[in-house]
Amino acid sequence: MKKVSILYIDDERINLLAFEALFRRNYTVHCAASAEEGFTCLTHNTIDYIFCDQQMPEMCGTEFFRKVKSKFPEIHCCILSGYIQDQSIKAVEQEGIIDKAFEKPFNPGILEKYINKTCKNEAEYLRK
């Protein structure tokens, strides 16, 4: 069975290294240091989940996801932010552009539970 594929986008290299170290055993992990690198990764790989930092230099996470959803509507999109109560994050969540917002620093167990739950729900849906 194919591993779930995750793209993690964050402009801080230490966060990319930590994310990959935490999740590489159970998932195929791709990391990008900018939204532009994220778009490149999406054109060359099949991605199931994207976790993206909200605060980045060239393009914030919510803006990135608005562009992603128009081209890749099937991907699960999640914001990671120290400010999940931000109005722009709430707006994209209400619009259905992102599935969920997770607080930074994130708890790896919570992210894994989310992935496993959504994968299970999709598998059950496909069997019907």
Side-chain angles (χ1 to χ4, degrees), residues 96-108:
I97 291 169
I98 66 168
D99 299 329
K100 196 156 178 64
F102 292 97
E103 193 159 16
K104 245 178 150 182
F106 63 85
N107 177 325

Side-chain angles (χ1 to χ4, degrees), residues 26-70:
N26 297 325
Y27 308 101
T28 300
V29 178
H30 303 272
C31 291
S34 68
E36 184 178 330
E37 283 182 30
F39 285 122
T40 300
C41 183
L42 287 169
T43 60
H44 293 98
N45 301 281
T46 300
I47 302 295
D48 301 304
Y49 292 82
I50 303 172
F51 292 92
C52 183
D53 185 26
Q54 171 65 356
Q55 299 296 326
M56 294 191 297
E58 309 103 30
M59 181 184 301
C60 68
T62 51
E63 185 181 345
F64 171 76
F65 281 133
R66 284 186 187 282
K67 293 180 179 189
V68 165
K69 274 301 192 179
S70 66

